[in-house]
Amino acid sequence: MKFENSNCAEDSIFFQAMEEVIYSISPLLESDPKYKRYAILERLVVPDRVIKFQVTWLDDNNKIQVNTGYRVQFNNALGPYKGGLRFHPTVNEGVLKFLGFEQILKNSLTGLPIGGAKGGSDFNPKGKSDFEIMKFCSAFMTELHKYIGPRIDVPAGDIGVGSREIGYLFGEYKKITSSYDGVLTGKPYMFGGSLMRPEATGYGLVYFTQAMLEHEKKDPLTGKVCTVSGAGNVAIHTIEKLQEIGAIVVTCSDSEGMLYDSRGVDLKLIKEIKLERRGTLKEYLEVYKDVNYIPVADYPDGGHSVWTIPCYAAFPCATQNELTEVDAKNLIANGCVSVSEGANMPSTPKATELFLTNKICFAPAKAANAGGVAVSEFEMSQNASMQKWSFDMVDERLKETMTQICKRVALTAKDYGVEGNYVDGANIAGFKRVADAMITEGI
Ligand code: NDP
Ligand code: 2IT
């Protein structure tokens, strides 16, 4: 395959994601000629369109600031383009292509009618005032609104974009279009947001892990020591569900460092620090002076201190490539039984390979973190029918969806002779559904 227009440095992360999928699905491509005949792979790895725009806004000192905004509409064979927006200084076209590509297969695995997309900006929300966030979101939507719609493309949150940002984006969309549409998901409840959308990715990750451990005949999580990285939306709700089922979560981390609390972390305090004060985990030490806090500068060479802590199950929930070969070796040496990816592609290819060869129960992101986008689709459903589902109803459907994804992935792996390999199972099952839709709709 040729990628003549590719910016190789930016695209390397996209190639990493693509390479894994191509490797996994090669037995399917060899066994059924229709996928080659319809050039599905060639068509699937190129986005339908990449929208790139300037975002100009005024900071609190009335100084003009300029950022770049993007929306990568990757594939809509199964439904409207669907996927989050990321606001982080590391955002570029390559990162969004990797995330959009993964989103196609993830959304396909949910069995729901949603295509794949991703967007965002290199805007850094850190240290910005509420008004600056609002002004940035308004400026971003001034351009984005032209390309989205409840049947066209429905963005949501991701790193740096939570319900505050979605609220401002929704407000601006409504102002420009005069239309009260379900054009974004993860909206505040008062604008038609679904109950449990904030919790969905983390809760879904735990439901998937429970189903996987049961299927693989391993001990359940109750009473087990678990390690989590990150301290944002996904990490916090993963910790919350793990604690609710009686697991002991001893770590979390942010971009400045990690904390290890062997008694089990105090989630109420973490929520206060990270969600209310938007502070750093170091502030945990102001309450618990004896806790182990390790700044990023003191992490092991090429690794992350969270993964040096012995655990039964590990949950990387911060960002891509945060769990390296060094980390995988540490986890395996310390007797870790299960690794579930809450973040998108947090394990490097070498780490993934080590988990698979060492028969660790390994839940890849596109299957394990699909609970967020699944509840986003539930939100679209509720908006379209003007209904409000109860917390219990959303929770029940989320649990059912995650259990079904786990079953489908495990069964596909078995069918293709790689029993227990959830990476290949997820890639084949996700690819198959979207590829069959592409064949059915013609070119
Ligand atoms: P948040 O912005 O809420 O939290 C991100 C967390 O990860 C923060 O603790 C942040 O630290 C840390 N982090 C981010 N980037 C880095 C980095 N480069 N190095 C170290 N730490 C970092 O994002 P989410 O929790 O929503 O997203 C986390 C992951 O989960 C991402 O990979 C995202 O794509 C994925 N995901 C999110 C879903 C959702 O519904 N939100 C759904 C499915 C997947 P700090 O606080 O210091 O910034
Ligand atoms: O990576 C993801 O699945 C998300 N950020 C959530 C996407 C969504 O549309 O809810």
Side-chain angles (χ1 to χ4, degrees), residues 223-236:
K224 303 287 190 202
V225 170
C226 297
T227 50
V228 174
S229 66
N233 173 279
V234 178
I236 282 177

Side-chain angles (χ1 to χ4, degrees), residues 295-371:
V296 170
D298 295 344
Y299 283 2
D301 258 358
H304 189 313
S305 288
V306 162
W307 314 123
T308 63
I309 307 296
C311 66
Y312 179 75
F315 297 84
C317 295
T319 193
Q320 62 268 12
N321 287 338
E322 57 158 310
L323 196 163
T324 63
E325 185 181 8
V326 174
D327 298 322
K329 283 183 180 157
N330 280 330
L331 282 166
I332 294 164
N334 287 329
C336 173
V337 165
S338 145
V339 177
S340 302
E341 297 189 320
N344 283 308
M345 205 169 72
S347 312
T348 63
K350 287 230 164 91
T352 303
E353 194 185 318
L354 278 170
F355 291 140
L356 294 176
T357 49
N358 284 277
K359 304 282 176 217
I360 304 295
C361 294
F362 180 69
K366 59 174 73 75
N369 74 23

Side-chain angles (χ1 to χ4, degrees), residues 230-360:
N233 173 279
V234 178
I236 282 177
H237 295 106
T238 299
I239 298 172
E240 186 165 272
K241 183 53 76 178
L242 284 170
Q243 291 186 339
E244 197 186 301
I245 62 168
I248 305 145
V249 183
V250 294
T251 65
C252 61
S253 66
D254 62 15
S255 54
E256 292 179 28
M258 79 85 137
L259 59 88
Y260 169 48
D261 189 339
S262 58
R263 294 159 296 203
V265 297
D266 179 345
L267 185 60
K268 192 162 166 276
L269 180 58
I270 291 166
K271 280 186 175 180
E272 192 189 309
I273 296 170
K274 295 303 295 184
L275 302 183
E276 285 165 37
R277 283 192 250 151
R278 296 180 192 274
T280 100
L281 282 177
K282 208 171 170 190
E283 293 163 35
Y284 195 90
L285 298 178
E286 290 164 15
V287 179
Y288 296 100
K289 295 185 176 44
D290 54 339
V291 150
N292 232 324
Y293 176 83
I294 304 178
V296 170
D298 295 344
Y299 283 2
D301 258 358
H304 189 313
S305 288
V306 162
W307 314 123
T308 63
I309 307 296
C311 66
Y312 179 75
F315 297 84
C317 295
T319 193
Q320 62 268 12
N321 287 338
E322 57 158 310
L323 196 163
T324 63
E325 185 181 8
V326 174
D327 298 322
K329 283 183 180 157
N330 280 330
L331 282 166
I332 294 164
N334 287 329
C336 173
V337 165
S338 145
V339 177
S340 302
E341 297 189 320
N344 283 308
M345 205 169 72
S347 312
T348 63
K350 287 230 164 91
T352 303
E353 194 185 318
L354 278 170
F355 291 140
L356 294 176
T357 49
N358 284 277
K359 304 282 176 217
I360 304 295

Side-chain angles (χ1 to χ4, degrees), residues 82-84 103 106 118 154 156-158 185 197 344 369 372-373 376:
K82 182 82 197 89
Q103 198 82 45
K106 181 194 306 191
K118 204 83 189 188
V154 185
D158 194 80
T185 58
R197 176 60 188 87
N344 283 308
N369 74 23
V373 76
S376 273

Side-chain angles (χ1 to χ4, degrees), residues 351-404:
T352 303
E353 194 185 318
L354 278 170
F355 291 140
L356 294 176
T357 49
N358 284 277
K359 304 282 176 217
I360 304 295
C361 294
F362 180 69
K366 59 174 73 75
N369 74 23
V373 76
V375 173
S376 273
E377 196 276 346
F378 301 165
E379 184 170 322
M380 290 163 72
S381 255
Q382 292 171 72
N383 292 164
S385 60
M386 313 269 290
Q387 284 180 359
K388 285 278 193 192
W389 298 1
S390 69
F391 192 94
D392 287 348
M393 178 162 161
V394 180
D395 193 30
E396 199 178 301
R397 292 203 178 183
L398 171 65
K399 202 175 282 178
E400 194 185 301
T401 305
M402 298 315 293
T403 310
Q404 283 307 323

